[in-house]
Amino acid sequence: MSRAVPFLDLAPGVAELRGELDVAWRRVLEGGRWILGPELEAFEQAFAAFVGVGHAVGVGSGLDALEIALRAHGVGPGDEVLVPAATFVATWMAVTRAGATPVGVDVDPDTLQLDPAAAAAAVGPRTAAIVPVHLHGHPADHDALAAIACRSRLLLLEDAAQAHGARWRGRRCGALGDAAAFSFYPGKNLGGLGDGGAITTDDAAVAARARRLRNYGSTERYHHDEVAGNSRLDPLQAALLAAKLPRLDAWNARRAAVAARYREALADLPGLRLPVVADGADPAWHLFVVRHPQRDALQRRLAAAGIETLIHYPVPPHRSGAYAGTAAAAARHPVAEDAAAAVLSLPIGPHLTEAQVERVIDAVRSAALALAPVAAGGAR
Ligand SMILES: Cc1ncc(COP(=O)(O)O)c(C=O)c1O
């Protein structure tokens, strides 16, 4: 059966912005500066202003943004870093790649964001940082996490890879902690035409160190102050992202409208748990994640109705092969583990048509009602 509603179709966004994107890439082509330079600096300034911080440093990916931000704060071997047990594995791998040890922390059963009580309990003598993830584009509980970070003198590094434009009590995600990491992977709310990422911070010294760490430890050509990698956001990607940035708030508003319609139309279904919006949170709705005790059956029924869905994520990082045999793998995080078996991401995006939204709603309603007798037995 054809896919009536793909999970995410990026083509309409390109079509909407075709003129601006053509101007941007031609400017880069003709400008002749294809590493660092004015296109990158212009985007960094625009993105910092959008987030509401003093500095943005463009890097090669969201993973690199996290790793470089940790290193720029001196986090490394011997340090432990608290990370949510429900996240994309990059949050954990960045810690490992920085030479530190990720320590999994369970998430809140309602919002699936890092649980502040569990984080407070996990702080030990070697804890150097907390990395809350604004998972699905919903802000983590910043007030409670900032209090823990302040009390224990920990770095608070936001993983804002899914949260471009989200707000917590009016402030943008990316401007809440000591620093933040963004991804510009194509499917993100602000996505490039390839890989990319950025670090945001108000700390000029951290920004300067991050600029060195993305560029062979160098600020002056052929002078290298420390051993580092090569992870510079391409000027071509920067120019394309700069062309897309002015649309981000409007596109997020459209995502929010889709989410509001889903939440209204799916509220009464047996067994189906809808995403919860916490007090003070204004999500970016990167994903619309429902939970259902018969998740796989629900997904199959939706697929048969032409609705493409994805699972973010089927395996929590501590249960993945990458962490097999480590202390993290032995830990239990029941909320994250249960969520991995129940979550299902419905199509959401700024270019989903109203007809597509209604089609998703009809399909979810009939699938959930058909599964109701089973769901009733297994519902939590
Ligand atoms: C929560 C989270 N952190 C980090 C990343 C890593 O970003 P990238 O794919 O750009 O390396 C992603 C996205 O893929 C993500 O969703």
Side-chain angles (χ1 to χ4, degrees), residues 11-225:
V14 172
E16 184 185 322
L17 276 174
R18 187 59 199 246
E20 288 97 319
L21 296 174
D22 279 346
V23 169
W25 75 257
R26 278 177 199 284
R27 206 176 53 235
V28 176
L29 187 67
E30 281 151 23
R33 248 331 261 290
W34 301 324
I35 296 290
L36 301 175
E39 292 290 347
L40 177 56
E41 284 160 25
F43 171 66
E44 288 177 335
Q45 278 165 23
F47 193 63
F50 173 84
V51 171
V53 291
H55 312 274
V57 180
V59 296
S61 69
L63 172 68
D64 284 358
L66 286 163
E67 181 189 339
I68 290 173
L70 289 166
R71 287 184 189 275
H73 286 90
V75 176
D79 292 328
E80 289 181 352
V81 177
L82 306 187
V83 286
T87 183
F88 181 59
V89 73
T91 318
W92 285 55
M93 287 196 176
V95 173
T96 306
R97 287 169 54 96
T101 303
V103 174
V105 172
D106 213 348
V107 292
D108 177 89
D110 290 328
T111 64
L112 298 180
Q113 308 300 324
L114 190 63
D115 179 348
V123 174
R126 290 169 50 197
T127 310
I130 309 184
V131 185
V133 179
H134 306 304
L135 194 67
H136 312 150
H138 182 293
D141 183 350
H142 178 68
D143 301 354
L145 295 168
I148 296 164
C150 182
R151 195 166 58 235
S152 301
R153 305 174 76 82
L154 307 174
L155 165 69
L156 186 64
L157 171 63
E158 300 167 67
D159 182 339
Q162 302 186 0
H164 316 67
R167 293 179 191 266
W168 172 257
R169 303 203 191 290
R171 286 161 66 207
R172 299 261 198 208
C173 289
L176 303 171
D178 297 299
F182 285 88
S183 162
F184 302 126
Y185 182 84
K188 302 300 193 203
N189 289 33
L190 180 64
L193 273 65
D195 277 312
I199 297 148
T200 54
T201 182
D202 269 324
D203 188 326
V206 166
R209 178 123 195 250
R211 286 182 203 289
R212 284 202 303 277
L213 289 170
R214 74 174 174 184
N215 188 29
Y216 299 108
S218 165
T219 38
E220 193 187 338
R221 206 170 199 181
Y222 305 133
H223 293 264
H224 305 275
D225 302 328

